[in-house]
Structure formats: structure tokens, C-alpha cells
Amino acid sequence: MQPQNTPLFAWLISDGKAGHINQLRALAQAMGIESIEGTYDKRNNLFTDGHFLNGRKPDILLSIASAGRQAQFALASLWAQQTAQAKRVHLMAPQNPHSLFDCEIIMSHDFKNFTPKSSGQIPCDIPPSLFALDQRPYHQVALPELDCKQVHTVLLGGDNRAFKFIQESTISLGEKLKKMSEKHNIGYYISTSRRTPPNALSTLI
């Protein structure tokens, strides 16, 4: 039984990438729960920092992306005693729900026009990293401060093995966003990654 006034405790499970673990950290912060982090290597099917497995049992298991999903199945199978009572929440879930999870958070930028297939699937329009802005609900921050009817989130990536983030793309994106803003009175939150070129954000602003 959970002692009174004791904060809920979560394991944050990811592949260790900053763009993933930061989403889980923000979600845990917004929920007001204590947490510890674990990194799962899905290629070798093991935790690279498994010391937390023998510590405090989690009330909630928060995972993200494919490595976190794979880790959840490993925890349910190999560490069932430690995790049997935990609620399981997964971000960036596939479209088809799975019975293992109590809640699957579907990011709208991953699946357009997504319709939940179960009560446990929750579409999410903004990255969890924006949940805790000023410790206030997102809409209370965005609408008065930006003086617009609605706010859209722009997620900027960067170079990867297949694509290059070139300056021309940033300029083109900026022109499209400006037209949408002027036509529909839209404001923007712009979220970058570590791979985003330094001049990309200044170009958009």
C-alpha cells in the first residue's frame, strides 16, 4: 500500500537519446512524481544501467519510442515481480493498441487524423516537453502571451543519414509559417533538437 503523502515513483525508460528522455522527464515533472531513469539497448536486449532494477519498485512505468516499448515487454517478462503492480504508459505508440499498456500516448505529428482504437490511447498535439511551461497548462501560457487564436508546435530536426537540413528548406518553411500565421492568426512554439543547425531558429524568428 502506498503511504499517505508519498509521491508516486516512476521508472523512465528510453534509449538514452536526449530528445526521448527529455520528453519523459517533462511528463514526470508535469505529473508531480519522483523518478529514476533507465536506458535500454534494444539491439542487445539489455539495460545498460540496470542498477535501478533492484531498487524501489515503480508505481508507473513511463517509456518512449521503440526501445522503451521493447523494454516494457522485457520488464513484464523478466522482472515481473518488480513491475507487476505498476501502471504502464508508453509514448509514441504504434497505431494498434496493445494489452500490456494501460495508456498509449500517440503524438499527432507521427500519425495524422489519428482515431483512438481503445480508451487507453490518447492523441497528443504537443510534445510533453512543453507541458510544464511556467508550471501552468499549455493553453494558459500560449494564447494570452502570443495574442493569437490558436498555437501550433513546430518541431525542427536536423541532419541524419538520409537527409540534410539545408538553409533553403528553413527559408521555405519560414515563408509558409508566416503565410499561415497572417491568414489564420496562428502563433507558434518552435522546438529544436541537438541536430538543428544553429542558424535555423534565427532564420525562422
Side-chain angles (χ1 to χ4, degrees):
M1 180 179 295
Q2 184 78 19
Q4 289 185 343
N5 301 322
T6 299
L8 294 175
F9 183 64
W11 289 359
L12 311 184
I13 308 298
S14 74
D15 52 15
K17 294 180 180 178
H20 289 161
I21 190 60
N22 285 340
Q23 303 297 331
L24 296 182
R25 289 170 180 168
L27 183 56
Q29 178 185 352
M31 295 170 66
I33 58 179
E34 297 180 353
S35 63
I36 191 170
E37 299 172 9
T39 303
Y40 193 75
D41 180 352
K42 67 176 183 179
R43 289 187 178 181
N44 296 304
N45 296 317
L46 55 80
F47 285 96
T48 59
D49 50 359
H51 60 278
F52 68 93
L53 295 169
N54 296 317
R56 179 178 171 185
K57 294 182 180 180
D59 303 297
I60 304 174
L61 285 170
L62 295 179
S63 60
I64 188 169
S66 58
R69 180 179 172 87
Q70 188 170 322
Q72 287 265 26
F73 288 103
L75 290 170
S77 175
L78 302 176
W79 289 276
Q81 184 175 356
Q82 294 96 319
T83 63
Q85 302 303 315
K87 296 294 184 181
R88 297 177 182 272
V89 179
H90 184 66
L91 280 70
M92 300 186 187
Q95 291 193 53
N96 296 321
H98 195 281
S99 58
L100 176 68
F101 300 102
D102 297 285
C103 176
E104 293 178 296
I105 300 176
I106 313 295
M107 302 306 297
S108 60
H109 60 264
D110 289 329
F111 300 104
K112 295 181 179 179
N113 302 318
F114 175 77
T115 301
K117 298 179 176 62
S118 74
S119 59
Q121 287 190 313
I122 302 176
C124 183
D125 293 329
I126 63 172
S129 56
L130 295 181
F131 286 176
L133 281 174
D134 292 345
Q135 302 300 314
R136 291 176 289 167
Y138 177 79
H139 67 278
Q140 293 182 10
V141 176
L143 298 183
E145 294 183 5
L146 295 181
D147 191 28
C148 55
K149 291 183 179 180
Q150 55 181 311
V151 176
H152 291 184
T153 300
V154 180
L155 305 178
L156 293 182
D159 294 346
N160 59 30
R161 295 177 182 176
F163 300 98
K164 291 292 184 181
F165 197 119
I166 59 176
Q167 181 72 0
E168 289 76 8
S169 297
T170 310
I171 295 173
S172 175
L173 174 62
E175 292 174 348
K176 293 178 181 178
L177 293 176
K178 182 179 180 182
K179 290 180 181 179
M180 289 180 59
S181 177
E182 293 173 346
K183 183 177 182 180
H184 302 289
N185 192 19
I186 295 173
Y188 301 104
Y189 275 122
I190 301 176
S191 177
T192 62
S193 77
R194 293 183 300 171
R195 295 181 292 106
T196 304
N199 60 347
L201 187 58
S202 60
T203 299
L204 288 179
I205 295 176

